[in-house]
Amino acid sequence: MNIEYELLRRRLIVFSIVVIFGLIVLLTSIFILNSKRDYNANIEGEIQSIHARTAKLINDAALVEAYQHDYERISGRGFFSEESRLSWIEQLERTASRLQLNRLQYHIDPQEQVHDSNFSIPANVSLFKSTLSLETGLVHEGDLVDIVNDLADLSAGLLVLDRCKITKINEKLSSGSDYNFTASCGLSWYKASYLEGTAEQMSDGP
């Protein structure tokens, strides 16, 4: 049997070259496929990130729209302004003069920061309170309403009536008195300051 070794050797070489080339093509295809998969994964990640940022912007815009009116209203009431106790004193004096309440006495405590678990205060907001105590004689019970309304009309923060006691003067003991009632009340002014932040921070709550 005659075996052409040279021909066989050549065919083996050609076969080997084809196999090696095939392996190179296969490995190259696998590498390209993996690269495409990684690229697609990165693109999908970027798309999801864009969707998340877009959703956050839409949410922020909705929060701004929802709370803009309230913010402008309380800002107009002086809620974010500095404490102005001089305007409170001047208003009390004007009201006392108008109603002829010459027995009006008052005291304003120093402003203090509010740390109360009953209030849900965002991390970037500081809430402050100033307390007013007053005692006065009243000709009519409505005089007290005028005092509170005049103070509330000031753009000086959020005014809260904490307590109030009105006592009718005993007619037998009030000879010579110009007043029919006495009143003892406590009021608080609330003000706030805040650090500029995102709408998400401002909406933090329970």
Side-chain angles (χ1 to χ4, degrees), residues 103-124:
R103 293 186 184 178
L104 175 64
Q105 297 180 340
Y106 55 84
H107 174 74
I108 302 176
D109 293 329
Q111 187 183 65
E112 60 182 15
Q113 187 169 355
V114 176
H115 300 284
D116 192 333
S117 59
N118 294 324
F119 293 91
S120 178
I121 305 175
N124 61 339

Side-chain angles (χ1 to χ4, degrees), residues 17-27:
I17 292 173
V18 171
V19 170
I20 292 172
F21 181 75
L23 289 173
I24 293 174
V25 172
L26 178 62
L27 292 174

Side-chain angles (χ1 to χ4, degrees), residues 1 15 18 21 23-24 33 41 74 116 136-137 142 154 156 173 186 195:
M1 181 176 180
F15 177 75
V18 171
F21 181 75
L23 289 173
I24 293 174
L33 180 60
I74 63 176
D116 192 333
T136 183
L154 293 174
L173 301 178
L195 298 176

Side-chain angles (χ1 to χ4, degrees), residues 110-147:
Q111 187 183 65
E112 60 182 15
Q113 187 169 355
V114 176
H115 300 284
D116 192 333
S117 59
N118 294 324
F119 293 91
S120 178
I121 305 175
N124 61 339
V125 174
S126 297
L127 183 64
F128 300 92
K129 179 177 76 170
S130 301
T131 301
L132 164 70
S133 300
L134 67 84
E135 294 183 357
T136 183
L138 303 171
V139 178
H140 308 286
E141 293 173 295
D143 292 343
L144 181 60
V145 176
D146 288 339
I147 293 173

Side-chain angles (χ1 to χ4, degrees), residues 185-197:
C185 301
L187 303 94
S188 296
W189 275 282
Y190 288 91
K191 288 178 172 289
S193 63
Y194 71 96
L195 298 176
E196 295 287 348

Side-chain angles (χ1 to χ4, degrees), residues 30-166:
I30 293 174
F31 175 77
I32 292 175
L33 180 60
N34 289 334
S35 297
K36 291 293 184 181
R37 287 176 178 172
D38 292 341
Y39 176 77
N40 289 338
N42 290 335
I43 292 297
E44 290 179 1
E46 290 181 3
I47 291 174
Q48 291 177 358
S49 177
I50 290 173
H51 285 168
R53 291 198 298 270
T54 302
K56 182 178 181 302
L57 287 174
I58 293 174
N59 181 63
D60 287 352
L63 287 172
V64 169
E65 183 177 355
Y67 293 108
Q68 182 69 24
H69 175 72
D70 290 338
Y71 173 80
E72 291 176 350
R73 179 173 57 83
I74 63 176
S75 293
R77 299 295 303 166
F79 188 64
F80 294 109
S81 63
E82 295 293 328
E83 183 189 40
S84 180
R85 59 179 56 209
L86 178 59
S87 66
W88 308 337
I89 294 172
E90 291 174 344
Q91 183 59 62
L92 284 170
E93 297 293 346
R94 285 194 297 269
T95 302
S97 176
R98 176 169 59 85
L99 300 177
Q100 298 182 347
L101 304 177
N102 52 22
R103 293 186 184 178
L104 175 64
Q105 297 180 340
Y106 55 84
H107 174 74
I108 302 176
D109 293 329
Q111 187 183 65
E112 60 182 15
Q113 187 169 355
V114 176
H115 300 284
D116 192 333
S117 59
N118 294 324
F119 293 91
S120 178
I121 305 175
N124 61 339
V125 174
S126 297
L127 183 64
F128 300 92
K129 179 177 76 170
S130 301
T131 301
L132 164 70
S133 300
L134 67 84
E135 294 183 357
T136 183
L138 303 171
V139 178
H140 308 286
E141 293 173 295
D143 292 343
L144 181 60
V145 176
D146 288 339
I147 293 173
V148 175
N149 285 342
D150 286 350
L151 291 173
D153 286 340
L154 293 174
S155 296
L158 176 63
L159 179 65
V160 176
L161 181 61
D162 297 318
R163 60 174 179 82
C164 209
K165 180 180 180 181
I166 300 178

